Amino acid sequence: MNLGMSWAVRILTPMLSVLGLWYLAIFFSGLPAFVIPRPERVLDVLWVDHAFILEHLWATLQVAAIGFVWANIVGIGLAILFDLLPFTRHMLLPAAITLRNVPYIAMISVLMLAFGDSMLSKTTIVALAGFFPVLVNTMQGLRAADEVQLDRMRILNASWWQTFSQVRLPYAVPAIISAQEITGSGSIIVAIAAEWMISSTGLGYVINNAMQNYRGDRVYAVALLATGLSFLIYTFVHWLGGRLDWRTGDPRR
Amino acid sequence: MAAPVSIRGVSRQFGETWALRPTDLEIKAGEFVALVGPSGCGKTTLLRLVADLVAPTSGEVRIGNDTAAEARRKRLLGLVSQRPAVLPWKRAIDDVRFTQKIAGKVGFDPAKVLRDFGLEGHEGKRARQLSGGMLQRVNIASAMAHDPAVLLMDEPFSALDEMKREEIGEWFDRELALRPKTVLFVTHHIDEAVMLADRLLVFSASPGVVAEIVSVDVPRPRDPSFRQDPRFVAIAAHVRGLLMHKAVALS
């Protein structure tokens, strides 16, 4: 009962406060309804336009998911490479840091020039935006293995692969999961931004289209949907991370 | 299975600092040698040199006919650290099996070892479900699972309270009678060292020099009543005196 109450409070409190602030903004700003529509109007749009929005949501999810998978392949792959061959770290890490600091808008523009409005250009930008947190966290995670465990592997003359797969990687799992809090929810946001700039599908396109037609209510509907989705991903990853942290608890009891 | 350990002129320097001055020591197969001394005196360095986890600046360690590196490659060494190296996501019995899998050697039947170690009924538990004493037993079982010839122990009981420490020490002494090993045992605890060891290597304070080698000529395993034996009291007092004397000399 207490647990149920506490969950209800944790979910309802932020919802009520957001709704409260929303109504206050409508009341005090004096802005027209197409700039700041009422919450019930936004929910109505979500209901009425659900077929249209779901179709584009599906397109966005595809871009975000493929980009997310590539971000992890590149991020985790590079971290493993750096662990196996430390000199590659000196060669490639500065390039990764540089890439990280290039404005996404510039990258999207270049990718659009190279590949046009395609799945490749959109998933590439999601992967480029998302791989760095995965790389950094995986590198930290691989270094987090307990020194006594590593001594144990050394005294048993374990191979690099045995030490990596049986000790270093399991210890890195919580850090890798934690990176997904950023990369997972970020993938949705970056996918929408890419679609907003270059695409004729996806939630980003829906926002762009709605803006051109002065459909503020539809912009809010998409924003609400995307925020909810990002929040869900973040919450799920956070929960999973807590379950898999060997330092704080027994993960597979 | 146990093997003799020969330490010949072994030293280790870290930069300008001597962690261990050139040291000689011959350890017989099955002998239990305790390394005692103040913090930073070189006990753990000597242990890690024998384990081939640190390379010597000079000298050589031989285990039987092998160098330390060869012995490690042949999986002749077992290491028990101060903090248990039991993998937190493995059940106790799987952790023991894990050592055998990595070493490629099945020394003992894991279930029997855990039973002999007083862990019957706890084989399926993970690290956080075990008490400190039980966890250290699993740690020792895992370190011995591939039947190493030499067991290197770095303050293995220091995280336990006094009672538990004595209890596990007595148990370990009996256990070694069943599965003989050459043991190098680092400890700060003089009584524990006198109770368990055939010889005590008493270190002076840093830089690491062996001040004296003290023999305990009483057969093992020893009865708990040995703690009240005048020989025990005399040896412990002598070692304490050695350490105090060195400390006073330094101050």
Side-chain angles (χ1 to χ4, degrees), chain B residues 1 49 60 90 115 117 129 138 141 150 158 186 190-191 193 213 246:
Chain B
M1 189 178 75
L49 283 160
E60 187 187 39
K90 285 205 186 289
R115 210 165 40 243
F117 279 31
Q129 296 168 308
V138 175
V150 178
S158 64
V186 170
I190 296 167
D191 287 2
I213 298 176
K246 294 292 170 189

Side-chain angles (χ1 to χ4, degrees), chain A:
Chain A
M1 182 64 184
N2 276 344
L3 198 69
M5 280 291 284
S6 117
W7 269 102
V9 167
R10 283 166 74 172
I11 293 168
L12 281 177
T13 314
M15 281 176 75
L16 286 174
S17 61
V18 168
L19 276 176
L21 286 170
W22 195 334
Y23 280 114
L24 282 173
I26 293 168
F27 186 76
F28 286 108
S29 69
L31 289 165
F34 71 86
V35 177
I36 181 163
R38 301 172 76 83
E40 58 268 30
R41 170 69 197 143
V42 173
L43 291 176
D44 188 48
V45 169
L46 273 177
W47 177 248
V48 172
D49 291 350
H50 71 271
F52 174 75
I53 290 174
L54 279 179
E55 181 194 329
H56 289 280
L57 171 67
W58 176 238
T60 300
L61 283 177
Q62 280 179 303
V63 171
I66 295 170
F68 170 78
V69 169
W70 275 109
N72 274 283
I73 291 172
V74 173
I76 295 172
L78 279 177
I80 293 172
L81 182 71
F82 295 167
D83 186 66
L84 177 63
L85 305 168
F87 71 89
T88 58
R89 187 179 162 189
H90 301 293
M91 285 168 59
L92 298 174
L93 191 58
I97 293 169
T98 308
L99 206 56
R100 159 75 176 168
N101 287 305
V102 175
Y104 296 145
I105 291 174
M107 274 199 278
I108 295 172
S109 306
V110 171
L111 287 167
M112 192 178 79
L113 287 172
F115 307 116
D117 172 14
S118 65
M119 196 64 157
L120 181 63
S121 54
K122 286 179 283 186
T123 51
T124 305
I125 189 67
V126 174
L128 284 174
F131 86 96
F132 197 75
V134 179
L135 170 63
V136 172
N137 269 34
T138 308
M139 281 166 62
Q140 278 177 355
L142 290 175
R143 285 197 296 264
D146 199 334
E147 205 49 48
V148 296
Q149 310 283 6
L150 297 176
D151 276 348
R152 178 184 179 186
M153 298 304 275
R154 286 183 203 118
I155 205 92
L156 293 171
N157 199 33
S159 64
W160 173 85
W161 173 247
Q162 284 173 324
T163 305
F164 175 80
S165 62
Q166 301 293 322
V167 178
R168 282 195 189 275
L169 191 60
Y171 267 101
V173 165
I176 295 172
I177 300 271
S178 161
Q180 311 308 329
E181 287 176 13
I182 303 165
T183 300
S185 52
S187 293
I188 302 275
I189 295 163
V190 176
I192 292 174
E195 288 162 350
W196 185 80
M197 279 191 75
I198 62 178
S199 184
S200 53
T201 55
L203 294 180
Y205 161 75
V206 174
I207 292 175
N208 209 351
N209 182 269
M211 287 289 285
Q212 285 167 15
N213 295 304
Y214 296 97
R215 286 290 306 275
D217 49 0
R218 201 177 252 180
V219 175
Y220 275 75
V222 171
L224 196 65
L225 195 64
T227 308
L229 212 58
S230 293
F231 182 75
L232 271 181
I233 293 170
Y234 175 86
T235 308
F236 172 70
V237 171
H238 193 73
W239 170 81
L240 195 65
R243 294 271 303 162
L244 288 174
D245 196 337
W246 330 122
R247 290 159 300 185
T248 56
D250 185 0
R252 297 175 196 170
R253 199 160 32 156

Side-chain angles (χ1 to χ4, degrees), chain B residues 23-161:
Chain B
T23 302
D24 293 286
L25 182 69
E26 295 294 329
I27 305 171
K28 292 191 288 288
E31 194 178 2
F32 193 124
V33 175
L35 314 180
V36 291
S39 295
C41 71
K43 308 183 295 284
T44 298
T45 301
L46 179 56
L47 196 82
R48 293 179 76 80
L49 283 160
V50 176
D52 188 42
L53 295 174
V54 174
T57 304
S58 70
E60 187 187 39
V61 174
R62 290 198 88 87
I63 290 144
N65 293 320
D66 300 307
T67 63
E70 285 164 352
R72 188 172 65 80
R73 277 198 289 278
K74 289 182 179 175
R75 278 90 170 199
L76 296 177
L77 309 175
L79 181 70
V80 181
S81 46
Q82 183 179 354
R83 276 183 302 119
V86 177
L87 290 165
W89 52 86
K90 285 205 186 289
R91 298 175 192 282
I93 194 156
D94 293 332
D95 196 80
V96 177
R97 286 191 188 118
F98 177 70
T99 295
Q100 298 177 335
K101 185 182 151 204
I102 299 297
K105 283 165 75 182
V106 182
F108 305 114
D109 172 23
K112 184 172 184 325
V113 170
L114 289 180
R115 210 165 40 243
D116 292 348
F117 279 31
L119 290 161
E120 193 166 11
H122 302 287
E123 298 91 337
K125 290 185 179 170
R126 296 196 173 89
R128 70 184 291 269
Q129 296 168 308
L130 297 164
S131 69
M134 283 179 182
L135 187 58
Q136 196 51 279
R137 283 174 198 234
V138 175
N139 193 32
I140 296 170
S142 288
M144 290 174 70
H146 61 304
D147 194 18
V150 178
L151 204 51
L152 306 163
M153 308 179 82
D154 193 359
E155 301 186 48
F157 310 142
S158 64
L160 307 176
D161 62 54

